[in-house]
Amino acid sequence: MSAGTGHGAQTGGPGGTAGGGAAGGGDTAGDDPAGGDAEGATPPVEYRADELATAAGITPRTLRFYRERKLLPPPRREGRIAWYDEHHLARLRTIAALLARGHTLGGIADLMTAFEEGRYGRSPAELLGLDTLLSTPFSEEVPIRLTPQELADHYEGGVTSENLADSLDIGYLAVDGEEFVHVSRRLLEASSALVREGIPLGAVLAAGRELRHHTDVIAAVFSDLLRSHVLGGDLSVNDADWITEKLERLHPLAKQVVEAELGLALDRRVREELDTWLLPPDGGGGDDGANGPGATEG
């Protein structure tokens, strides 16, 4: 795209003026043959630095400061002119939203670094299992798209660069454009509820990583069982529909077994540890009872 296309489209944008402004040079999309595409395609909007600052509601000096702190990806350069696009504008709005929620610029810089590194991790298709030929019916999870500030809101300020990196590494999150894709709305809601109950997000993610290991072991048990007794023999891509049909029938049985076993295991664990959780009625635990939920000053 040429510079003429960029600032031709910009004249109608937030930083443009009716007369074309400094970047427009008097051109408009209607005057630019590239802007009058017969198919009605809208050329991407580009901004000079002062126009981007105006569109984002900040000063050019603040924009330069953010660039120096590497809060923004580099602009496209054409000679000595730097051109910014809608992704830069979205990033500036994200920074403003995170600042309004109490994040420091240093913390935001760390988050943005982790965000950019996340682009080179799992793709949303890999995260959601859309890069395979076989349709597997076991997961009923619904993915959810989130802006960085929406993700921060879910965890009440608990999102740090370390926690974000862990979420990307475990496979809860992938980066898509200027948004995150979380693999499961239920996991997102459950983990944020645990944080509201007082469990640090880092501890929730550590537990999630450990659970992922154990559930992979459980899945391997079922997979070996199915391969040995239900899906035996030589299989090919041509058997995909038949395999899917078998898995759909076995899916509720596998979940039923796991849910029942987990409930029984939790009951056993609580019974085993209950004596260490509760104090004797006479307060025989000494001063240790002073900080319990039922303690009183009297």
Side-chain angles (χ1 to χ4, degrees), residues 35-224:
D37 193 326
E39 296 181 1
T42 302
V45 176
E46 288 192 308
Y47 307 84
R48 291 183 189 238
D50 57 341
E51 295 169 338
L52 179 67
T54 299
I58 60 176
T59 65
R61 182 178 180 181
T62 299
L63 176 60
R64 287 194 298 272
F65 177 71
Y66 288 169
R67 284 177 52 188
E68 291 167 359
R69 294 291 297 269
K70 301 188 184 304
L71 292 171
L72 289 176
R76 180 180 73 82
R77 289 201 170 270
E78 192 171 85
R80 299 182 62 182
I81 301 177
W83 291 103
Y84 300 85
D85 58 23
E86 66 274 11
H87 298 297
H88 294 96
L89 181 58
R91 177 63 58 83
L92 289 173
R93 288 171 175 163
T94 293
I95 292 170
L98 291 174
L99 285 172
R101 287 159 172 77
H103 291 262
T104 65
L105 281 175
I108 293 172
D110 290 341
L111 287 176
M112 293 300 102
T113 298
F115 184 86
E116 291 298 329
E117 291 175 351
R119 295 183 188 278
Y120 305 102
R122 292 181 179 88
S123 70
E126 292 172 321
L127 184 73
L128 303 177
L130 302 178
D131 56 340
T132 62
L133 293 175
L134 182 63
S135 172
T136 53
F138 286 92
S139 174
E140 298 173 347
E141 302 312 306
V142 177
I144 179 172
R145 302 182 73 89
L146 300 157
T147 64
Q149 58 264 37
E150 288 171 340
L151 183 66
D153 285 348
H154 269 281
Y155 294 107
E156 301 181 346
V159 176
T160 64
S161 57
E162 292 81 7
N163 291 338
L164 181 55
D166 283 344
S167 297
L168 291 163
D169 182 57
I170 295 170
Y172 290 149
L173 292 174
V175 174
D176 187 22
E178 292 297 314
E179 294 181 315
F180 291 107
V181 177
H182 196 292
V183 69
S184 166
R185 181 184 291 273
R186 290 200 303 174
L187 284 176
L188 175 69
E189 292 175 349
S191 58
S192 59
L194 289 172
V195 169
R196 289 194 297 273
E197 290 293 333
I199 302 176
L201 179 55
V204 172
L205 291 172
R209 188 184 291 276
E210 186 173 357
L211 281 171
R212 176 66 61 87
H213 168 72
H214 291 301
T215 52
D216 281 344
V217 172
I218 293 171
V221 170
F222 276 99
S223 178
D224 291 343

Side-chain angles (χ1 to χ4, degrees), residues 12-38:
T17 63
D27 292 338
T28 66
D31 297 327
D32 188 346
D37 193 326

